[in-house]
Amino acid sequence: MARAKAKATAEIDGADLRARGERRGIERLQTEKIGGLKHAIDEPASEQGFLLPREAGGMTLFLLAAYAVSAVAFQGLPSTHTVGAALASAALFACGSLFAATERRGDRSFATRALVVVAGIVLPMALAGYALAGWVNEGLPWQWAIATLICVNAAAAALFDMRIISLFCAKIASWAGFAVLMPGLLTYAALIAAAITLSLIARLEWKAAEQRRLAREARERVAARAEDILRSFEETGQGWFWETDRRGLITYISPKAAMALGKSSDEIVGRPLSEIVDPTQSAADAERTLAFHLSARSAFHDVEVRAATTGDERWWALAGRPVYDSYKNFCGFRGHGTDLTEKRRSEQQVSRLAHYDSLTGLANRVQMSQALEQILAAPSGRERACAVLMLDLDRFKHVNDTLGHPAGDALLKQVAQRLERAIGGAGRCGRLGGDEFQVIVPGHQDRKTLGHMAQEIINSLSQPYSITGQSVVIGASVGIALAPEHGSTSDALIRNVDLALYAAKDAGRGVYRFYAEDLHAAAEERAELEQDLREAIAKGELELHYQPVVFAADEKIVGFEALMRWNHPKRGWLSPSKFVPIAEDAGLIDRMGQWALRTACADLARWPRSIRCAVNVSALQFANPELPTIVANALAHAGVAPSRLELEITESVFLNDSAGTDAMFKALKRVGVRLALDDFGTGYSSLGYLKKAPFDKIKIDRSFVQGATEEGSRNGAIIASITSLAEALHMDTTAEGVETLDELELVRLLGCSHIQGYIYFKPMNAAEATALVSGNLVAEADGPQCARVPRQNLLRKVTVIHNNNRLNATLRNISESGAMIEGLWNMPAGSPMRIEFSDDKSVTAQVRWSRENRVGVEFHEPLRRRADGSYSVLKGQRSQGAGAGGW
């Protein structure tokens, strides 16, 4: 997230710098190039490519006026041919527009154009010179004629402006008339000298005119380029232009800006510039800044204002500078604006990504951390009190692996919605990442209220979900820490709530736990065990032990169950319940499962063909699509028939009723292995899957076997129902955990086909198992008839206080010296606890043993019995039956 935030921020900053550079560049263009554009407009495009001007009527009038003035000076009219020549010259100039149009027509030949040029320039000027020369011969003073001809040439110079060739021809032609009427060496020499002089002047004028033309064309290109840039700047939506007069009224605004305001340019022109800015409180500061610059007549850049739009919110960045005339009089402001709407949206998106989870919409880790630190930094000690709940979803990885990441994302969205409904307005919830959520409840909260909230969260999140048309069931574990009791800093509180969460997961998941001081030692122990487990896997220190399975009818060994064991170099033999959950959380269970399969198949290859071996497969292994291939490769490598391998699968694989589960069962049956349903009746409470899953055996959990022989126990009826169901479905049954002769007799009587337990054999290593099956395979029951002292069986809710956590549990049986309590997961042996039977009745005890969710405790002081045999702490609670046994 931090990298994504940094990248998005860098892009926005870069875009901002580029936008500022563009705005400054546009302002320079606006300042410098408009002048060139204005100059180009004032001086229209040259037509120097043509020798004749478009209009020559002014020359006609000038000639007629010159002739009239000469007639006044002559005090009469000249001869007829002189008058004819004069009128002909004026007439030809009168036809100048016709000659110009003829020259400009592209379909005319060069000869035609040359003839037209002679008729429009050379001939009229020559006739004018001839008329004045003839008039001199008739008595007109030559000084007057020369002056008139000079004036005519000046008028021609004005007519043929920048047309050097035309002007040269006109001047030579005008003076040629004198040479015709007064021939002579001197005349011709003067005419030639004049021609040479005019040629030199024409060359100089042509060079100067060419330089002016090039300069003008350059200015025109600059003006055109500036105009294109400004037009592109507007049309592409990068910005727009505005201008005000000295009173602050808008004299120009780009049509796009006016359109954004829902008006036309004409409607905005004449209105104050402040009217295009939203005057709401959120934009008040920007409006005041803009008003200050306008009143101070100072230049400004990047003043962010909210546009006075009626629809979607739109933001602009305005820049402008004061404009003065040549006398330094203030004329108004001229500037431009750029649209900041997308930039602002990007900034808001970056801010949201920085503080909210993009998938669920909940607050992310950063915002939750800031909220917690803000609470803990409050000035008042009472305001610093809060509770932090850390949630972790159980079996979420299984959903991701079986249904895919899109299904996992959809599940997380539904979890977030349920979590928000469960919390309501009591606190703030957020997603920290993955399947981890956090809830912060401000203020002082008592443990009972928090426990009720945590249980409500667990119950809500444990209800089935519908994902892509499939039913999915997950769970949640919750850790709780209080401030300032469990930490006065954010780091300390988060560390301790994590420990509480680990304790909840270790307690069997689906429960909540408060932080306690001894959890640090438990966390350190767990981390140490995880590291040791990784080393043990790498060094091959794990072992498989095998417990025989006996056929009930003839008491012969028909198979083994492979049980993983770990002889820790420092701690000695560790129970699988100790290290298997660590392996699952650390992602090691798949490697361990594959090793167990290969090792069991290798050992099975050395045993008689009538012997089978059962290997446990975890739900995480079952979700691996490669499991059938892994099983087939292990069998092929060991050379073992697939029917001799039995895979034991727990009911948890049915939590997600998906097509992938059915496909996995079919794939495993195609391999040829047998399938057994392990721990039947203790997990997913539905029998619907039995009609689809191709199981060959049902294993009855030892929790049903233990206590089945006691008076009033319903376990026998449950066992009878399971065996009847298995028989109807053509499945075998195995009773696990049979330890006494009474239990053995009962399970045989109830129809169990196979028996497994200490009554026959304890788990043994591979060498011992090989030696066992090398004999006659006959097993002999060896165990106590009944090992318990008289006790009272009951079903009563009690409260257990352990490590300052109040835990709800069920009392299953009780004697003078101890009791068995259900609902407490993974209680370490030797742990002290207090058991509250009622508000005023409680005892202290110590854990003697712990198996899954059941613990056996020994009271610190023996209980007193009433005359009727009941215990005083139970307040008249009647027993469900009594039996023999002891601790």
Side-chain angles (χ1 to χ4, degrees), residues 77-146:
L77 294 176
S79 60
T80 304
H81 70 276
T82 300
V83 172
L87 293 177
S89 65
L92 288 174
F93 275 119
C95 297
S97 59
L98 179 62
F99 296 148
T102 303
E103 181 190 14
R104 283 163 173 77
R105 291 180 61 178
D107 56 347
R108 295 294 183 181
S109 63
F110 175 77
T112 303
R113 292 182 62 192
L115 183 61
V116 169
V117 168
V118 169
I121 299 175
V122 176
L123 190 56
M125 290 299 291
L127 290 173
Y130 178 79
L132 289 174
W135 212 338
V136 169
N137 289 334
E138 296 176 11
L140 181 68
W142 64 269
Q143 295 90 343
W144 187 273
I146 295 299

Side-chain angles (χ1 to χ4, degrees), residues 197-218:
T197 302
L198 288 175
S199 298
L200 294 176
I201 295 173
R203 177 177 176 81
L204 294 175
E205 285 292 330
W206 180 83
K207 287 184 177 181
E210 187 68 14
Q211 290 176 355
R212 289 193 297 271
R213 181 185 66 82
L214 293 176
R216 182 170 56 249
E217 289 179 354

